[in-house]
Amino acid sequence: MVAASETALNRVDRGVTRAFVNADLQPTASFVQNPDLDFEMGAIQTTLRDAVGERNLDILDATGIASTLMGDSIATNSFMLGFAFQKGAIPLSLEAILRAIEINGAAIEMNKQAFTWGRLAAHDMGRVRSVLQFRARAASPTRTLDEQVAYRATFLGEYQDQAYADRYLAAVDKVRKAEAAVSPASSELTEAVAKNLFKLMAYKDEYEVARLYTDGSFAKKLADKFDGDFRLKFHLAPPIFAGRDKRTGHLRKKEFGGWMIHAFRLLAKLKFLRGTAYDPFGRSTERKAERKLIEDYLAMIEQRMATLKPERIPLLARLARVPETIRGYGHVKDENIAKAMAEKARLEAELENIHFAAAAE
């Protein structure tokens, strides 16, 4: 997006400039407002080709390649540097670049390896792709439905408690038995419910944010990526303390210092308050809406499974997948909920039409 911007293109000289572009698309502010935004990748590539010329342009998924090869997207820059160097676009010696990586002192071996992989990609991308395919298959074994359900139940147990996880398991089991009874070879509806009920039940509220920041994984990522002294700052819009924008009425984020980690530790321990009368965050419109989505979804399961027919499974699976479109936070999430509810009503009307048509026959 930035490479094809007016600011960048004003500095391009066709036939002179050589461009090595990372095809990875990073979310922009517009994407946050509209998750279904079309980035028009084809148009961007055409713009770049027109600006620098076909022979002077290389576009590659550097982030995806570097992440697969090195296990960390931070290796992307060194990978791109190696690619450009091998193409003859870096007026420095190999020894000078490797020495600079050593002097920099950050993740020396990883950066050297990423640089070398970039050189190989420029020389023989086919060999690199074969390694990528092998590693992707090895790193991403396909989980069975049972494994997926078990993983999500474990997550929900940590998110809230075992009773909460058991409620999820009972709902999925009800759907699974009903689907198997009318269509033994089908699992489409069960898979849709297992995924989307989990999504609704694991909504990211204040307690969950606190838990994720303090369960050890965040600290590990910091230790892996940063050395020496550093300070943390958090940009948050807690509904109890945050002010609202006078023009839009939306909550405004405020900056909080590293001391918030201590507040998160305390808050994570209070997750048992979630959804109770003593939950200080539970009275907000957003939290009420999230809890209602769960209850409505469970009620839909209860109602639809009692009269399940094989011919209705594809349409019911679409209905079960409606929560996939509910993304974002705050007013963005509110807008997506409204759209999802409109789609839900449309699908339910379609199901009723099928029901009445069958009854008439």
Side-chain angles (χ1 to χ4, degrees):
M1 299 288 287
V2 175
S5 68
E6 184 178 352
T7 302
L9 295 181
N10 283 339
R11 289 160 173 77
V12 166
D13 188 356
R14 186 180 174 88
V16 176
T17 302
R18 299 190 65 181
F20 304 92
V21 182
N22 182 7
D24 181 58
L25 286 169
Q26 292 295 330
T28 62
S30 299
F31 179 79
V32 174
Q33 298 296 325
N34 179 11
D36 299 312
L37 182 68
D38 183 357
F39 284 102
E40 298 182 348
M41 188 61 176
I44 293 173
Q45 294 186 10
T46 299
T47 299
L48 290 169
R49 288 193 179 93
D50 291 344
V52 304
E54 183 75 36
R55 297 180 61 182
N56 286 338
L57 175 67
D58 285 277
I59 300 177
L60 63 156
D61 179 19
T63 298
I65 296 172
S67 297
T68 301
L69 294 173
M70 307 305 302
D72 196 329
S73 62
I74 205 168
T76 301
N77 289 337
S78 295
F79 177 87
M80 289 288 283
L81 180 64
F83 190 95
F85 173 82
Q86 191 65 25
K87 291 284 187 176
I90 307 295
L92 294 170
S93 69
L94 174 61
E95 292 76 13
I97 292 177
L98 294 178
R99 181 59 183 146
I101 291 174
E102 293 173 354
I103 292 173
N104 185 51
I108 295 173
E109 288 308 312
M110 183 190 74
N111 280 305
K112 282 185 175 181
Q113 288 182 36
F115 178 80
T116 302
W117 276 113
R119 292 184 64 196
L120 179 59
H123 175 69
D124 188 352
M125 182 60 85
R127 288 180 63 187
V128 174
R129 286 201 178 100
S130 67
V131 175
L132 291 173
Q133 291 171 359
F134 174 79
R135 293 196 178 183
R137 286 194 297 269
S140 304
T142 302
R143 281 179 176 166
T144 65
L145 177 58
D146 285 334
E147 289 170 337
Q148 292 175 29
V149 171
Y151 169 81
R152 289 164 180 157
T154 299
F155 185 98
L156 290 173
E158 295 171 353
Y159 173 91
Q160 180 67 29
D161 54 32
Q162 189 56 47
Y164 197 67
D166 288 343
R167 194 180 188 196
Y168 168 79
L169 288 171
V172 173
D173 187 57
K174 178 185 287 288
V175 176
R176 195 170 196 173
K177 288 178 178 176
E179 185 174 21
V182 300
S183 183
S186 174
S187 63
E188 180 184 10
L189 181 57
T190 305
E191 290 175 13
V193 169
K195 178 181 178 181
N196 287 274
L197 177 57
F198 170 77
K199 174 183 170 67
L200 293 177
M201 293 182 73
Y203 61 91
K204 193 173 287 186
D205 60 2
E206 292 78 8
Y207 302 107
E208 179 63 356
V209 169
R211 185 183 75 86
L212 294 175
Y213 268 123
T214 57
D215 67 355
S217 57
F218 178 66
K220 184 178 184 304
K221 288 179 181 177
L222 288 178
D224 290 343
K225 292 190 176 183
F226 299 100
D227 296 319
D229 295 329
F230 54 84
R231 290 188 298 171
L232 294 175
K233 294 180 180 179
F234 298 92
H235 295 266
L236 308 167
I240 296 177
F241 308 110
R244 291 189 178 273
D245 186 286
K246 293 181 179 179
R247 183 176 61 85
T248 64
H250 301 155
L251 292 173
R252 291 182 302 179
K253 287 187 176 181
K254 293 176 61 177
E255 182 181 291
F256 297 85
W259 58 269
M260 277 300 298
I261 283 290
H262 302 295
F264 285 152
R265 290 195 182 100
L266 174 61
L267 191 57
K269 294 178 180 178
L270 297 176
K271 65 181 182 180
F272 64 89
L273 295 175
R274 179 187 282 124
T276 70
Y278 303 100
D279 182 358
F281 308 103
R283 297 180 183 87
S284 71
T285 302
E286 186 173 356
R287 298 293 166 258
K288 288 179 179 177
E290 287 162 339
R291 294 198 299 272
K292 187 175 187 303
L293 285 171
I294 297 170
E295 297 306 321
D296 288 350
Y297 199 88
L298 290 168
M300 181 271 290
I301 291 173
E302 194 71 30
Q303 175 191 359
R304 300 294 176 181
M305 293 310 103
T307 57
L308 185 62
K309 304 291 184 184
E311 62 273 14
R312 296 180 191 174
I313 287 176
L315 189 54
L316 274 171
R318 287 169 58 192
L319 178 63
R321 286 193 288 266
V322 165
E324 290 178 358
T325 62
I326 301 175
R327 292 166 285 187
Y329 300 95
H331 64 281
V332 175
K333 187 170 187 176
D334 290 341
E335 292 168 3
N336 286 327
I337 289 175
K339 293 177 183 177
M341 292 304 98
E343 176 64 7
K344 176 175 179 281
R346 189 189 70 78
L347 291 170
E348 287 180 331
E350 193 172 339
L351 278 165
E352 290 306 313
N353 289 336
I354 293 174
H355 173 74
F356 286 129
E361 291 176 3

